[in-house]
Coordinates of all heavy atoms in Angstrom, one line a residue:
N160 N 84.7 44.7 97.1 CA 85.1 46.0 96.5 C 84.6 47.1 97.3 O 85.3 48.2 97.5 CB 84.6 46.0 95.1 CG 85.3 45.1 94.1 OD1 86.4 44.7 94.4 ND2 84.6 44.7 93.1
G161 N 83.4 47.0 97.8 CA 82.8 48.1 98.5 C 83.5 48.4 99.8 O 83.8 49.6 100.1
I162 N 83.8 47.4 100.6 CA 84.3 47.6 102.0 C 85.8 47.9 101.9 O 86.4 48.5 102.8 CB 84.0 46.4 102.9 CG1 84.2 46.8 104.4 CG2 84.8 45.2 102.5 CD1 83.2 47.9 104.9
T163 N 86.5 47.4 100.9 CA 88.0 47.6 100.8 C 88.4 48.8 100.0 O 89.5 49.2 100.1 CB 88.7 46.3 100.3 OG1 88.3 46.1 99.0 CG2 88.4 45.1 101.2
S164 N 87.5 49.2 99.1 CA 87.9 50.3 98.2 C 86.9 51.4 98.0 O 87.1 52.6 98.4 CB 88.2 49.7 96.8 OG 88.5 50.6 95.8
W165 N 85.7 51.1 97.5 CA 84.7 52.2 97.2 C 84.3 53.0 98.4 O 84.1 54.2 98.3 CB 83.5 51.5 96.7 CG 83.7 50.7 95.4 CD1 84.7 50.8 94.6 CD2 82.8 49.7 94.9 NE1 84.6 49.8 93.6 CE2 83.4 49.2 93.7 CE3 81.6 49.2 95.3 CZ2 82.8 48.2 93.0 CZ3 81.0 48.2 94.6 CH2 81.6 47.7 93.5
I166 N 84.2 52.4 99.6 CA 83.7 53.1 100.8 C 84.6 54.3 101.2 O 84.1 55.3 101.7 CB 83.6 52.1 102.0 CG1 82.6 52.7 103.0 CG2 84.9 51.7 102.6 CD1 82.2 51.7 104.1
K167 N 85.9 54.2 100.9 CA 86.8 55.3 101.2 C 86.4 56.6 100.5 O 86.3 57.7 101.1 CB 88.2 54.9 100.8 CG 88.8 53.8 101.6 CD 90.1 53.3 101.1 CE 90.5 52.0 101.7 NZ 91.7 51.4 101.1
G168 N 86.1 56.4 99.2 CA 85.6 57.6 98.4 C 84.2 58.0 98.8 O 83.9 59.2 98.8
W169 N 83.3 57.1 99.1 CA 82.0 57.4 99.5 C 82.0 58.3 100.8 O 81.3 59.3 100.9 CB 81.2 56.2 99.8 CG 80.9 55.3 98.6 CD1 80.9 55.7 97.3 CD2 80.5 53.9 98.7 NE1 80.5 54.7 96.5 CE2 80.3 53.6 97.3 CE3 80.3 53.0 99.6 CZ2 79.9 52.3 96.9 CZ3 80.0 51.7 99.3 CH2 79.7 51.3 98.0
K170 N 82.8 57.9 101.8 CA 82.9 58.7 103.0 C 83.5 60.0 102.8 O 83.0 61.0 103.3 CB 83.6 57.9 104.1 CG 82.9 56.6 104.6 CD 83.4 56.1 105.9 CE 84.8 55.5 105.7 NZ 85.3 54.8 106.9
R171 N 84.5 60.0 102.0 CA 85.2 61.3 101.7 C 84.3 62.3 101.0 O 84.3 63.5 101.2 CB 86.4 61.0 100.8 CG 87.4 62.2 100.6 CD 88.7 61.8 100.0 NE 88.5 61.1 98.7 CZ 88.8 59.8 98.5 NH1 89.3 59.1 99.6 NH2 88.6 59.2 97.4
N172 N 83.4 61.8 100.1 CA 82.5 62.6 99.3 C 81.1 62.7 99.9 O 80.1 63.1 99.2 CB 82.4 62.0 97.9 CG 83.7 62.0 97.2 OD1 84.5 63.0 97.4 ND2 83.9 61.0 96.4
G173 N 80.9 62.4 101.2 CA 79.6 62.6 101.9 C 78.6 61.6 101.4 O 77.4 61.9 101.3
W174 N 79.1 60.3 101.1 CA 78.2 59.3 100.7 C 77.5 59.6 99.3 O 76.3 59.2 99.1 CB 77.2 58.8 101.7 CG 77.9 58.2 102.9 CD1 78.3 58.8 104.0 CD2 78.3 56.8 103.0 NE1 79.0 58.0 104.9 CE2 78.9 56.7 104.3 CE3 78.1 55.7 102.2 CZ2 79.4 55.5 104.7 CZ3 78.6 54.5 102.7 CH2 79.3 54.4 103.9
I175 N 78.3 60.2 98.5 CA 77.8 60.5 97.1 C 78.8 59.8 96.1 O 80.0 59.8 96.3 CB 77.8 62.0 96.8 CG1 76.8 62.7 97.7 CG2 77.4 62.3 95.3 CD1 75.4 62.3 97.6
T176 N 78.3 59.1 95.1 CA 79.1 58.4 94.2 C 79.7 59.3 93.2 O 79.4 60.5 93.1 CB 78.3 57.3 93.4 OG1 77.4 58.0 92.5 CG2 77.5 56.4 94.3
K177 N 80.6 58.8 92.4 CA 81.3 59.6 91.3 C 80.3 60.1 90.3 O 80.6 61.2 89.7 CB 82.3 58.7 90.6 CG 83.5 58.3 91.4 CD 84.4 57.4 90.7 CE 85.6 56.9 91.5 NZ 86.5 55.9 90.8
T178 N 79.2 59.5 90.2 CA 78.1 60.0 89.3 C 77.1 60.9 90.0 O 76.0 61.1 89.4 CB 77.4 58.8 88.6 OG1 76.9 57.9 89.6 CG2 78.4 58.0 87.7
K179 N 77.5 61.3 91.2 CA 76.7 62.3 91.9 C 75.3 61.7 92.4 O 74.3 62.5 92.6 CB 76.4 63.6 91.1 CG 77.7 64.2 90.5 CD 78.7 64.6 91.6 CE 80.0 65.2 91.0 NZ 81.0 65.3 92.0
Q180 N 75.3 60.4 92.6 CA 74.1 59.8 93.2 C 74.4 59.4 94.6 O 75.5 59.2 95.0 CB 73.8 58.5 92.4 CG 73.6 58.7 90.9 CD 72.4 59.5 90.5 OE1 71.3 59.3 91.1 NE2 72.5 60.5 89.6
E181 N 73.3 59.3 95.4 CA 73.4 58.8 96.8 C 73.8 57.3 96.8 O 73.3 56.6 96.0 CB 72.1 59.0 97.6 CG 71.8 60.5 97.8 CD 70.6 60.6 98.7 OE1 70.1 59.6 99.2 OE2 70.2 61.8 98.9
V182 N 74.7 56.9 97.6 CA 75.1 55.5 97.7 C 74.0 54.7 98.2 O 73.3 55.0 99.2 CB 76.3 55.4 98.7 CG1 76.6 53.9 98.9 CG2 77.5 56.1 98.2
L183 N 73.7 53.6 97.4 CA 72.6 52.7 97.8 C 73.0 51.9 99.0 O 74.2 51.6 99.2 CB 72.3 51.8 96.6 CG 71.7 52.4 95.4 CD1 71.5 51.4 94.3 CD2 70.4 53.1 95.7
N184 N 72.1 51.6 99.9 CA 72.3 50.7 101.1 C 73.3 51.4 102.0 O 74.0 50.7 102.7 CB 72.8 49.3 100.6 CG 71.9 48.7 99.6 OD1 70.7 48.7 99.8 ND2 72.5 48.1 98.6
R185 N 73.3 52.7 102.1 CA 74.2 53.4 103.0 C 74.1 52.9 104.4 O 75.1 52.7 105.1 CB 74.0 54.9 102.9 CG 74.8 55.7 103.9 CD 74.6 57.2 103.9 NE 75.2 57.9 105.0 CZ 75.2 59.2 105.1 NH1 74.6 60.0 104.2 NH2 75.8 59.8 106.1
D186 N 72.9 52.7 104.9 CA 72.7 52.2 106.3 C 73.5 50.9 106.6 O 74.1 50.8 107.7 CB 71.2 52.1 106.6 CG 70.5 51.1 105.7 OD1 70.9 51.0 104.5 OD2 69.6 50.4 106.1
L187 N 73.4 50.0 105.6 CA 74.1 48.7 105.9 C 75.6 48.9 105.7 O 76.4 48.3 106.4 CB 73.6 47.7 104.9 CG 72.1 47.4 105.1 CD1 71.6 46.3 104.1 CD2 71.8 46.9 106.5
W188 N 76.0 49.7 104.7 CA 77.5 49.9 104.5 C 78.1 50.6 105.8 O 79.2 50.2 106.2 CB 77.7 50.8 103.3 CG 77.7 50.1 102.0 CD1 76.8 50.4 101.0 CD2 78.5 49.1 101.6 NE1 77.0 49.5 99.9 CE2 78.1 48.7 100.3 CE3 79.6 48.4 102.1 CZ2 78.7 47.7 99.5 CZ3 80.2 47.4 101.4 CH2 79.8 47.1 100.1
E189 N 77.4 51.5 106.4 CA 77.9 52.2 107.6 C 78.0 51.2 108.8 O 79.0 51.2 109.5 CB 77.0 53.3 108.0 CG 77.1 54.5 107.1 CD 76.3 55.7 107.5 OE1 75.1 55.5 107.9 OE2 76.8 56.8 107.5
K190 N 77.0 50.3 108.9 CA 77.0 49.3 109.9 C 78.2 48.3 109.7 O 78.9 47.9 110.6 CB 75.7 48.5 110.0 CG 75.6 47.4 111.1 CD 75.8 48.0 112.5 CE 75.6 47.0 113.6 NZ 75.9 47.6 114.9
L191 N 78.4 47.8 108.5 CA 79.4 46.9 108.1 C 80.8 47.6 108.4 O 81.7 46.9 108.9 CB 79.3 46.5 106.7 CG 80.4 45.4 106.2 CD1 80.2 44.1 107.0 CD2 80.2 45.2 104.7
D192 N 80.9 48.8 108.0 CA 82.2 49.6 108.3 C 82.5 49.7 109.8 O 83.6 49.5 110.2 CB 82.1 50.9 107.6 CG 83.4 51.7 107.7 OD1 84.4 51.2 107.4 OD2 83.3 52.9 108.0
E193 N 81.5 49.9 110.5 CA 81.6 50.0 112.0 C 82.1 48.7 112.6 O 83.1 48.7 113.4 CB 80.3 50.4 112.6 CG 80.3 50.5 114.1 CD 78.9 50.6 114.7 OE1 78.0 51.1 114.0 OE2 78.7 50.3 115.9
L194 N 81.5 47.6 112.2 CA 81.9 46.3 112.7 C 83.3 45.9 112.2 O 84.1 45.4 113.0 CB 80.9 45.3 112.2 CG 79.5 45.3 112.8 CD1 78.5 44.5 112.0 CD2 79.6 44.8 114.3
A195 N 83.6 46.2 110.9 CA 84.9 45.8 110.4 C 86.0 46.6 111.0 O 87.1 46.1 111.3 CB 84.9 46.0 108.9
S196 N 85.7 47.9 111.3 CA 86.8 48.8 111.9 C 87.1 48.3 113.3 O 88.2 48.7 113.8 CB 86.2 50.2 112.0 OG 86.0 50.7 110.6
A197 N 86.2 47.6 114.0 CA 86.5 47.1 115.4 C 87.1 45.7 115.4 O 87.3 45.1 116.5 CB 85.2 47.1 116.2
R198 N 87.5 45.2 114.2 CA 88.1 43.9 114.1 C 89.2 43.9 113.1 O 89.3 44.8 112.3 CB 87.0 42.8 113.7 CG 85.9 42.6 114.8 CD 84.6 42.1 114.2 NE 83.6 41.9 115.2 CZ 82.9 42.9 115.8 NH1 83.1 44.1 115.4 NH2 82.0 42.6 116.7
E199 N 90.0 42.9 113.1 CA 91.0 42.7 112.0 C 90.4 41.7 111.0 O 90.4 40.5 111.3 CB 92.3 42.2 112.6 CG 93.4 42.1 111.6 CD 94.7 41.7 112.2 OE1 94.9 41.8 113.4 OE2 95.6 41.2 111.4
V200 N 89.9 42.3 109.9 CA 89.1 41.4 109.0 C 89.9 41.2 107.7 O 90.4 42.2 107.1 CB 87.8 42.0 108.6 CG1 87.0 41.1 107.7 CG2 87.0 42.3 109.9

């Protein structure tokens, strides 16, 4: 859910959730997004 859906909103909103909290594990989500974007997953 995070990599296919939620992350789009997180990036659009500056890594802030709908409840105005900082996204947990942002460092790992950014790394996963970087790797996934360079591959067809």
